[in-house]
């Protein structure tokens, strides 16, 4: 019985533990954007080991945008991280915007944003020639 218990403990110790990966997506969750507003999408996948995560896949509203990664995404990043950077992304229509990220080791993260139509300024007369008077004393 002791031999079986010893073998179980040794088997559990020999089983590789998958590395934990932390994902961070920017812009943050529940943000509001205007239609046509340009925003940078950044995803950081950091491993708790010395090696970076195997792969990083990024989806925007279900469309894979991983191939559009900016080459400067890893500049200045720790060696145990894998990064994604998409500069100047803009949504063409109002509605929800969902950014998803996953790594090969099973880590997932999701951010939900809202894209709203911007109404702008009413078409009435605009103020002109505003005079600002500052005095000291």
């Amino acid at each position: 019985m002791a031999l079986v218990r010893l073998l179980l403990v040794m088997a559990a110790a020999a089983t590789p533990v998958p590395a934990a990966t932390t994902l961070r997506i920017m812009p943050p969750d529940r943000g509001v954007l205007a239609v046509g507003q340009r925003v940078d999408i950044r995803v950081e996948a950091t491993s708790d080991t010395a090696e970076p995560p195997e792969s990083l896949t990024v989806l925007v509203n279900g469309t894979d945008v991983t191939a559009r990664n900016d080459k400067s995404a890893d500049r200045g990043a720790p060696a145990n991280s894998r990064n994604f950077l998409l500069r100047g992304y803009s949504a063409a229509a109002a509605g929800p915007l969902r950014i998803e990220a996953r790594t090969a080791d099973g880590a997932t993260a999701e951010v939900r944003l809202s894209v709203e139509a911007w109404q702008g300024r009413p078409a009435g007369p605009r103020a002109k020639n505003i005079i600002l008077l500052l005095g000291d004393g």
Side-chain angles (χ1 to χ4, degrees):
M1 188 63 153
L3 180 61
V4 172
R5 204 174 298 160
L6 178 63
L7 289 174
L8 287 175
V9 170
M10 287 176 51
T15 305
V17 177
T21 301
T22 304
L23 288 168
R24 187 169 88 161
I25 301 175
M26 291 160 281
D29 199 24
R30 297 186 309 270
V32 179
L33 304 173
V35 171
Q37 177 182 351
R38 295 190 312 172
V39 63
D40 293 347
I41 296 174
R42 181 167 180 81
V43 180
E44 299 171 355
T46 307
S47 175
D48 64 351
T49 64
E51 295 297 318
E54 284 298 315
S55 68
L56 177 61
T57 304
V58 180
L59 305 163
V60 176
N61 282 343
T63 304
D64 190 353
V65 294
T66 308
R68 294 174 59 185
N69 189 15
D70 191 334
K71 302 297 181 205
S72 67
D74 286 323
R75 185 179 312 145
N80 67 335
S81 70
R82 187 170 302 275
N83 299 287
F84 172 84
L85 178 61
L86 175 59
R87 294 194 179 274
Y89 179 82
S90 65
L97 180 67
R98 193 172 92 190
I99 304 170
E100 300 171 80
R102 1 182 164 130
T103 59
D105 63 0
T108 61
E110 179 179 311
V111 167
R112 293 179 184 267
L113 303 168
S114 176
V115 179
E116 298 180 355
W118 185 60
Q119 300 303 320
R121 185 179 6 219
R126 293 178 34 185
K128 293 183 180 179
N129 300 333
I130 298 174
I131 299 172
L132 178 64
L133 180 63
L134 296 175
D136 184 21

Coordinates of all heavy atoms in Angstrom, one line a residue, residues 34 117-128 130:
A34 N -16.1 56.4 -30.5 CA -16.9 57.0 -31.5 C -16.6 56.3 -32.9 O -15.6 55.7 -33.1 CB -16.6 58.5 -31.7
A117 N -22.3 56.3 -32.5 CA -22.3 57.3 -33.6 C -22.2 58.7 -32.9 O -22.9 59.0 -31.9 CB -23.6 57.2 -34.4
W118 N -21.3 59.5 -33.4 CA -21.1 60.8 -32.8 C -21.9 61.8 -33.6 O -21.9 61.9 -34.8 CB -19.6 61.1 -32.9 CG -19.2 62.4 -32.3 CD1 -19.4 62.7 -31.0 CD2 -18.7 63.6 -32.9 NE1 -19.0 64.0 -30.7 CE2 -18.5 64.5 -31.9 CE3 -18.3 63.9 -34.2 CZ2 -18.0 65.8 -32.1 CZ3 -17.8 65.1 -34.4 CH2 -17.6 66.1 -33.4
Q119 N -22.7 62.5 -32.8 CA -23.7 63.5 -33.4 C -23.0 64.8 -33.9 O -23.5 65.4 -34.8 CB -24.8 63.8 -32.4 CG -25.6 62.5 -32.0 CD -26.2 61.8 -33.2 OE1 -26.6 62.4 -34.1 NE2 -26.1 60.5 -33.1
G120 N -22.0 65.2 -33.2 CA -21.3 66.4 -33.6 C -22.0 67.6 -33.1 O -23.0 67.6 -32.3
R121 N -21.7 68.8 -33.7 CA -22.2 70.0 -33.3 C -23.5 70.3 -34.1 O -23.5 70.0 -35.3 CB -21.2 71.1 -33.6 CG -21.5 72.4 -33.1 CD -20.4 73.4 -33.4 NE -19.3 72.8 -34.2 CZ -18.0 73.0 -34.0 NH1 -17.6 73.9 -33.1 NH2 -17.1 72.5 -34.7
P122 N -24.5 70.9 -33.5 CA -25.7 71.3 -34.3 C -25.3 72.3 -35.4 O -24.3 73.0 -35.3 CB -26.7 71.9 -33.3 CG -25.9 72.1 -32.0 CD -24.6 71.3 -32.1
A123 N -26.1 72.3 -36.4 CA -25.8 73.2 -37.6 C -26.2 74.6 -37.4 O -26.3 75.4 -38.4 CB -26.5 72.6 -38.8
G124 N -26.3 75.1 -36.2 CA -26.7 76.5 -36.0 C -25.5 77.4 -36.1 O -24.4 77.0 -36.4
P125 N -25.7 78.7 -35.8 CA -24.6 79.7 -35.8 C -23.5 79.4 -34.8 O -23.9 79.0 -33.7 CB -25.3 81.0 -35.6 CG -26.5 80.7 -34.9 CD -27.0 79.3 -35.3
R126 N -22.3 79.6 -35.1 CA -21.2 79.4 -34.2 C -20.8 80.7 -33.6 O -20.9 81.8 -34.2 CB -20.0 78.8 -34.9 CG -20.3 77.4 -35.4 CD -19.2 76.8 -36.2 NE -17.8 77.2 -35.7 CZ -16.7 76.9 -36.3 NH1 -16.7 76.2 -37.4 NH2 -15.6 77.3 -35.9
A127 N -20.2 80.6 -32.4 CA -19.7 81.8 -31.7 C -18.4 82.3 -32.4 O -17.6 81.4 -32.8 CB -19.5 81.5 -30.2
K128 N -18.3 83.6 -32.6 CA -17.1 84.1 -33.2 C -16.6 85.2 -32.4 O -17.3 85.9 -31.6 CB -17.4 84.6 -34.6 CG -17.8 83.5 -35.6 CD -18.0 84.1 -37.0 CE -18.3 83.0 -37.9 NZ -18.6 83.5 -39.3
I130 N -14.5 85.7 -29.8 CA -14.6 85.6 -28.3 C -13.4 86.4 -27.7 O -12.3 86.2 -28.1 CB -14.6 84.2 -27.8 CG1 -15.8 83.4 -28.4 CG2 -14.6 84.1 -26.3 CD1 -15.8 82.0 -28.1

